[in-house]
Amino acid sequence: MTTISWIGLGRMGGPMSANLVKAGHDVRGFDLIKQAMVEARSHGVTTCDSIEDVLDGAQVVFTMLPKGEHSRAVYLGDRGVLALAPKDALLIDSSTIDVETAVELHKAAAGAGLDFVDAPVSGGISGAAAGTLTFMVGGETDTVEKAKEFIDPMAGRIVHTGEAGTGQAAKIVNNMMLFISLEACAEGSVLADRLGLDPQVFWDIASVSSGNSWALQTWYPVPGIVDSAPANNNFKATFSAALAAKDAGLALAAGEQTGVDLPAARLAAQRFEQLITEGYENLDCSLIAKYAAPDGKIKGWNPEQA
């Protein structure tokens, strides 16, 4: 049994840490949100009242945090992970952050004598619960090999992407492509409806044809077609507009840094920002489908019940 510390027990970190408990590890967790701690305890995680407490005796430390500034604060603060973790601990950051911050954390960890990998994930909340996430892991080969043992209970696939920061690079590009696919599903679902196509008939065609995508299979924005779609639940978030806007922004920033033109990604980012402006930042990003409708009305969406 390995003592694993987990910082960040939210929508992804909660079910991920629960899978480590199922694998027989002693998992200790911390989150600033009390309800997240309650949920984690219900799945066998021992919760702690501070980062100091959760890091005490840790052999492996996982972090799953919302933004790069949170990762910097948790790792680099005076009472952060690099200052408090045991010197033989393995550090695994599964947050989605910018490449520059990821590389900074690698260098800081190395300076503190600690092994570190950036290991963001793809697969969403359903993949986190099922233990089928894809992990994109950047770092030294030996460290990545050590990390695989602890990642495995949460993963359907583990890919060593290369040197420090490449895990984040892969995640940023992958999410950008997802958002572009989601915009295609949004526009396609509304156009098919306005042309009089039965939504199930159209989905059955698109799902085995050239219009297929992960977004269509998982988030299709029409109720009653895909079990995992937020459209079935008035677009309650599985991946919030706020998080989508953050990740799309990471892709756009990377495009600016590299000189790559990303017009489709800019459109998707604008859609997410529209949701935020309207006060829907905590609803699902697939609600962008409403912007394809001339009257803003789509099946499955009732703003009065949001």
Side-chain angles (χ1 to χ4, degrees):
M1 179 186 293
T2 300
T3 299
I4 297 177
S5 296
W6 194 289
I7 302 172
L9 295 164
R11 290 177 177 271
M12 293 293 292
M16 290 168 71
S17 60
N19 281 325
L20 290 175
V21 173
K22 291 177 185 176
H25 295 297
D26 173 22
V27 183
R28 305 168 65 180
F30 172 75
D31 197 290
L32 291 173
I33 298 173
K34 298 303 181 184
Q35 185 57 39
M37 300 264 273
V38 171
E39 291 280 343
R41 284 196 294 272
S42 73
H43 295 292
V45 175
T46 301
T47 57
C48 301
D49 293 329
S50 68
I51 288 180
E52 276 186 290
D53 289 343
V54 82
L55 291 173
D56 184 31
Q59 295 169 277
V60 180
V61 179
F62 276 93
T63 49
M64 175 61 86
L65 303 162
K67 296 181 180 180
E69 54 261 40
H70 298 140
S71 290
R72 291 188 84 260
V74 165
Y75 277 94
L76 305 179
D78 290 341
R79 307 301 292 170
V81 172
L82 298 188
L84 298 174
K87 293 307 177 184
D88 58 351
L90 169 63
L91 312 180
I92 303 171
D93 184 26
S94 286
S95 315
T96 297
I97 61 176
D98 60 284
V99 175
E100 184 179 6
T101 297
V103 172
E104 179 185 6
L105 296 181
H106 273 273
K107 291 179 178 178
L114 290 159
D115 288 332
F116 178 92
V117 295
D118 57 294
V121 303
S122 179
I125 294 172
S126 60
T132 58
L133 295 168
T134 295
F135 279 76
M136 296 154 272
V137 190
E140 297 290 337
T141 299
D142 290 348
T143 307
V144 172
E145 288 302 313
K146 285 197 296 184
K148 284 181 178 179
E149 175 187 351
F150 306 104
I151 292 172
D152 186 67
M154 303 176 287
R157 188 174 185 189
I158 304 169
V159 181
H160 182 194
T161 53
E163 63 186 17
T166 57
Q168 295 298 343
K171 176 62 186 293
I172 289 168
V173 177
N174 180 75
N175 271 20
M176 181 193 75
M177 294 172 68
L178 165 63
F179 299 147
I180 294 168
S181 297
L182 179 60
E183 175 64 22
C185 287
E187 295 179 18
S189 64
V190 174
L191 181 59
D193 178 70
R194 296 306 190 264
L195 290 173
L197 285 165
D198 179 279
Q200 185 68 62
V201 169
F202 175 70
W203 187 90
D204 288 345
I205 294 168
S207 66
V208 294
S209 301
S210 53
N212 196 16
S213 67
W214 188 93
L216 184 135
Q217 293 283 345
T218 311
W219 287 349
Y220 194 63
V222 178
I225 307 299
V226 176
D227 289 343
S228 56
N232 297 323
N233 195 22
N234 204 32
F235 292 90
K236 182 179 179 181
T238 61
F239 195 96
S240 73
L243 284 178
K246 184 264 290 187
D247 288 2
L250 293 175
L252 294 177
E256 290 180 4
Q257 292 166 6
T258 57
V260 176
D261 189 24
L262 304 172
R266 280 197 297 274
L267 174 60
Q270 289 166 7
R271 297 300 203 206
F272 301 140
E273 290 296 341
Q274 281 181 272
L275 288 177
I276 293 171
T277 298
E278 292 182 30
Y280 299 136
E281 65 273 13
N282 293 322
L283 293 182
D284 197 77
C285 61
S286 61
L287 183 55
I288 61 171
K290 79 187 190 76
Y291 297 124
D295 56 3
K297 296 179 180 179
I298 55 173
K299 294 175 180 176
W301 168 234
N302 184 344
E304 294 181 1
Q305 297 179 2

